[in-house]
Amino acid sequence: MHELAITVIGPDRTGIVADVAEALAGIGANLDDSTMTRLRGHFAMTLICTGPSADEVRAALETLTADGKLLATVRAVQPETDAAVRGEPFLVSVHGADRLGIVAAVTRVVAGVGGNITDLTSRLTGPLYVIVAEVDLDPAHADELAEQLAVAAAELGVDVTLRRAESEIL
């Protein structure tokens, strides 16, 4: 069994997820982890699969990429050796006027207190910029993170909130 990281990007269209999933299932590749999204008319997918070799997966995806509209990459990765969560789940939310550097500033503050971002989504909706990030964080650092996020928020002119994630939300 091989563990593979696969990315697929290109213009969004109906059926991409089904096409990729069917191609992978057809050769016995099991989707262990995946994230898929639409970004301003473009589709992006990242998968971790186990199963056949990287060459077999590339060949299976060739029919989907032959017209040049989709780009697929496949590479072997090492299995995760330490899957232990290093903290508890928290959510960081950011809302405000769009400006350069918001993601960089907020994520640097999170990293500075040892928080590990496990998922992050950002979206520009008209003039409003929104970020929602899931963070694994040692609860002992939650107050420190909240204080530092407040400082960053004031500098950026945005609203930032930090709260424990409810298990049913995740």
Side-chain angles (χ1 to χ4, degrees):
M1 289 291 249
H2 302 272
E3 188 156 302
L4 304 171
I6 302 166
T7 60
V8 179
I9 58 172
D12 188 35
R13 65 167 173 73
T14 300
I16 295 174
V17 173
D19 291 345
V20 172
E22 287 172 354
L24 295 172
I27 58 168
N30 187 52
L31 277 68
D32 298 335
D33 264 329
S34 66
T35 186
M36 304 163 207
T37 193
R38 183 177 183 271
L39 303 165
R40 297 201 177 250
H42 302 279
F43 176 79
M45 167 189 271
T46 304
L47 311 158
I48 299 294
C49 294
T50 51
S53 71
D55 289 337
E56 290 174 275
V57 171
R58 281 187 203 97
L61 296 175
E62 232 171 63
T63 60
L64 302 177
T65 62
D67 66 2
K69 292 181 181 175
L70 286 180
L71 171 66
T73 62
V74 182
R75 69 182 202 114
V77 294
Q78 296 299 313
E80 188 174 32
T81 57
D82 184 11
V85 175
R86 304 229 186 276
E88 294 181 14
F90 284 78
L91 290 177
V92 175
S93 302
V94 180
H95 299 83
D98 184 30
R99 73 175 267 188
L100 185 65
I102 296 173
V103 173
V106 170
T107 57
R108 179 55 56 206
V109 169
V110 171
V113 299
N116 183 35
I117 296 172
T118 58
D119 191 54
L120 184 143
T121 300
S122 65
R123 184 89 53 210
L124 179 60
T125 307
L128 180 65
Y129 194 72
V130 178
I131 300 170
V132 177
E134 295 174 17
V135 177
D136 282 338
L137 179 68
D138 179 340
H141 297 292
D143 289 340
E144 178 185 3
L145 178 57
E147 291 171 11
Q148 291 184 18
L149 286 171
V151 170
E155 291 172 359
L156 294 165
V158 298
D159 293 324
V160 177
T161 60
L162 172 69
R163 66 181 178 84
R164 278 188 195 270
E166 302 294 329
S167 60
E168 57 271 358
I169 292 174
L170 299 177

